[in-house]
């Protein structure tokens, strides 16, 4: 989330008071709305006149803000140009005066998001390692513990990873290095569960479900799969004579995995440990 910051003395600032009283309030409302939009879309204070008009602004209000010095248009000059103030806009646009004095730049916001994302990945790995260590201690204390089945899809296919990434991130591409980090994070969360099977289960179960945070939902799904795999006597669906570990061939047109109608592996997560729902 990006904030648009307004000083508590803004309403009494000389540039604010320079706007005629008859148009001051609607002009400042337009200024505030435009600042909120620019902060959200990371345009560094650049806003098009067409957008301002579409938002309900009037050309007289835009001109009043330019004349007061709160905005600059393509004919304006500013001694702070390129430092506190963004570059002079092209015709048909305006820019906030001294945007960088009060607001974070696009570069700063993206760098902060990257640091937070990296911290989240590191935290996920640490959490997964802690869970695996705790499971190892529990297994050592329980002599009757049944070993979970060996992984059958340690390295999910690129097609399956493509489908999962599209479900989590939409059209935002992930490069090879980022995908490798994601797979490592998912494997940590899944523990000894079959990662490939659980990714397919997640896709099918949530194909038509709105998820507020798809990435968190997947990590939760894999965490639950890891807990099931650690339960004594638990087992995954091994499939029947018609399928491979509960899955038919992928749909040719969409590439989506197709669950076996007999084994229904995508319903496994809803059943009791060791007993998939039929």
């Amino acid at each position: 989330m990006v904030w648009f910051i307004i000083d508590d003395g803004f309403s009494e600032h000389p540039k604010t008071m320079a706007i005629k009283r008859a148009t001051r309030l609607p002009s400042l409302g337009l200024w505030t709305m435009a600042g909120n939009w620019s902060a959200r879309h990371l345009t560094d204070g650049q806003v098009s006149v067409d957008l301002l008009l579409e938002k309900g602004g009037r050309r007289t209000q835009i001109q009043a803000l330019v004349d007061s010095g709160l905005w600059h248009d393509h004919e304006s000059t500013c001694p702070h140009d390129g430092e506190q103030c963004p570059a002079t806009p092209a015709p048909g646009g305006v820019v906030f005066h001294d945007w960088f004095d009060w607001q974070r730049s696009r570069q700063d916001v993206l760098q902060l998001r990257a640091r937070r994302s990296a911290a989240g990945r590191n935290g996920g790995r640490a959490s997964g390692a802690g869970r695996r260590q705790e499971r190892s201690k529990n297994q050592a204390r329980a002599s009757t513990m049944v070993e979970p089945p060996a992984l059958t899809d340690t390295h999910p296919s690129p097609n399956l990873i493509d489908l999962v990434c599209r479900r989590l991130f939409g059209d935002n591409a992930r490069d090879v290095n980022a995908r490798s980090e994601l797979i490592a994070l998912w494997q940590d969360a899944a523990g000894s569960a079959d990662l490939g099977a659980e990714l397919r289960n997640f896709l099918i179960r949530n194909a038509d479900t709105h998820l507020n945070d798809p990435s968190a939902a997947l990590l939760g799904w894999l965490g639950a799969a890891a807990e099931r795999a650690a339960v004594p006597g638990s087992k995954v669906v091994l499939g029947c004579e018609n399928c491979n570990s509960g899955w038919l061939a992928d749909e040719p047109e969409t590439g989506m995995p197709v669950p076996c109608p007999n084994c229904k592996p995508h319903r496994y997560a809803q059943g009791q440990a060791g007993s998939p729902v039929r």
Side-chain angles (χ1 to χ4, degrees):
M1 179 181 295
V2 182
W3 298 94
F4 175 59
I5 301 171
I6 303 176
D7 187 86
D8 60 1
F10 174 70
S11 60
E12 286 80 35
H13 192 279
K15 291 183 178 180
T16 301
M17 301 303 294
I19 302 174
K20 293 181 180 180
R21 186 169 61 180
T23 59
R24 187 181 302 153
L25 185 59
S27 297
L28 297 181
L30 179 64
W31 182 89
T32 303
M33 180 183 296
N36 177 268
W37 182 91
S38 179
R40 178 180 181 184
H41 294 279
L42 304 180
T43 66
D44 284 343
Q46 302 269 0
V47 186
S48 71
V49 171
D50 288 341
L51 175 69
L52 296 172
L53 296 176
E54 192 277 331
K55 293 291 187 182
R58 297 182 178 181
R59 292 189 183 275
T60 54
Q61 297 163 0
I62 297 172
Q63 191 60 50
L65 290 163
V66 172
D67 291 342
S68 71
L70 290 172
W71 281 349
H72 302 315
D73 63 12
H74 67 286
E75 296 180 343
S76 303
T77 58
C78 178
H80 302 161
D81 191 12
E83 298 176 2
Q84 298 99 317
C85 203
T88 302
V94 296
V95 66
F96 279 71
H97 173 68
D98 283 356
W99 175 268
F100 297 130
D101 263 359
W102 299 97
Q103 319 298 334
R104 286 183 293 183
S105 69
R106 173 185 177 87
Q107 181 179 1
D108 289 341
V109 172
L110 294 179
Q111 288 176 348
L112 177 61
R113 289 177 178 175
R115 289 196 298 271
R116 288 176 174 174
S117 178
R121 288 195 299 268
N122 292 336
R125 293 192 185 100
S127 178
R131 288 195 300 271
R132 289 197 304 274
Q133 184 178 10
E134 185 63 26
R135 286 197 297 270
S136 297
K137 292 179 180 178
N138 292 339
Q139 291 173 351
R141 289 194 293 266
S143 59
T144 58
M145 177 70 71
V146 177
E147 285 292 325
L151 299 182
T152 59
D153 198 1
T154 304
H155 301 287
S157 69
N159 184 53
L160 177 59
I161 299 302
D162 285 340
L163 290 170
V164 177
C165 286
R166 287 205 299 270
R167 183 66 177 90
L168 300 186
F169 310 113
D171 295 330
N172 293 330
R174 288 296 188 272
D175 59 32
V176 174
N177 292 333
R179 291 193 176 195
S180 298
E181 292 179 356
L182 283 173
I183 294 172
L185 175 62
W186 296 340
Q187 188 64 74
D188 280 342
S192 58
D194 185 331
L195 177 59
E198 293 302 336
L199 291 177
R200 294 187 180 95
N201 295 346
F202 176 81
L203 286 176
I204 296 298
R205 170 59 72 176
N206 297 285
D208 299 317
T209 303
H210 172 71
L211 302 173
N212 292 328
D213 190 339
S215 296
L218 175 58
L219 290 178
W221 180 284
L222 296 177
E227 293 177 0
R228 289 194 306 274
V231 173
S234 66
K235 61 180 180 180
V236 298
V237 176
L238 298 179
C240 61
E241 66 276 7
N242 300 319
C243 66
N244 180 13
S245 297
W247 296 95
L248 305 178
D250 292 346
E251 175 63 37
E253 294 184 359
T254 65
M256 283 291 288
V258 180
C260 174
N262 296 321
C263 301
K264 301 182 179 67
H266 60 293
R267 302 188 65 186
Y268 174 59
Q270 303 298 319
Q272 299 296 325
S275 59
V277 177
R278 296 293 185 181

